[in-house]
Amino acid sequence: MIERKSSREIAKQAQAGAIVAETLQLLADEAKPGVTTGELDRLAEKLIRRRGGAPTFKGYRGFPGSICASPNDMIVHGIPGAVALGDGDVLSVDVGVTFRGFVGDSAVTLAIGEVAPETRRLLAVCQESLHRMIAACRVGNHLSDLGHACQTYVEGEGFAVVRALVGHGVGRRMHEDPQIPNFGPPGRGPELREGMVFAIEPMITAGSHEIRIDDDGWSIYTTDGSMAAHFEHTVAITADGPQILTYGSDGTSVVDRSV
Ligand code: MG
Ligand code: MG
């Protein structure tokens, strides 16, 4: 069952989302060659707690980090640690914050230093695919219209959409119904209604869409070693159209900044 939130609940969730946006901005400012993902994790946790939030991922099924930090051919769910960023890397940082009972969830893939032009294009296409999915978040559309918008655009650009990982409903819990694939035919699945809140998160690669899970039980990589990108916003469906809940107090996010 897809839970629907009241406008009051959505406003609360946007408060959690604002802390997420602030944290992603901090990570974007600090992610440079030589910095480790463990250092980024500590900075993020400190900021989230200073704002009165809790890092949603920490302890989730035993996950040890406050953020997910996934470089290069790692798609998502990377455990922060001793890995230092290098010039030309990309890094997906994914942040979840629980604040006053609600969860905000957002991610961005950052270019570290000078990145190859084709890799930069991969990031730009993933970012645009997120916005095309958000544009499909209108009352009366169907859930699969989101994935269809993503797949047609991304494959038209020559990249692949990961099949095995999906977006999700989000609210008081990080993972609620429905699952939101980033591929598929249009016009299928439940009709979108006011008050639904989705974590929309296209994951795309420069090669095959196949994935493998690392021996650590978390890190998910492309099987062919190709670069991956991941962008995510938490979005409410309202009578006036989609409302992004993971914006900072200034009404913007690094997730939307040009790449
Ligand atoms: Mg996320
Ligand atoms: Mg998510």
Side-chain angles (χ1 to χ4, degrees), residues 57 68 93-96 104-107 168 174-175 199 201 230 232:
F57 304 163
C68 294
V93 284
D94 192 345
V95 172
D105 187 5
S106 181
H168 50 94
M174 176 163 59
H175 292 130
E201 48 183 320
H230 172 220
E232 179 180 28

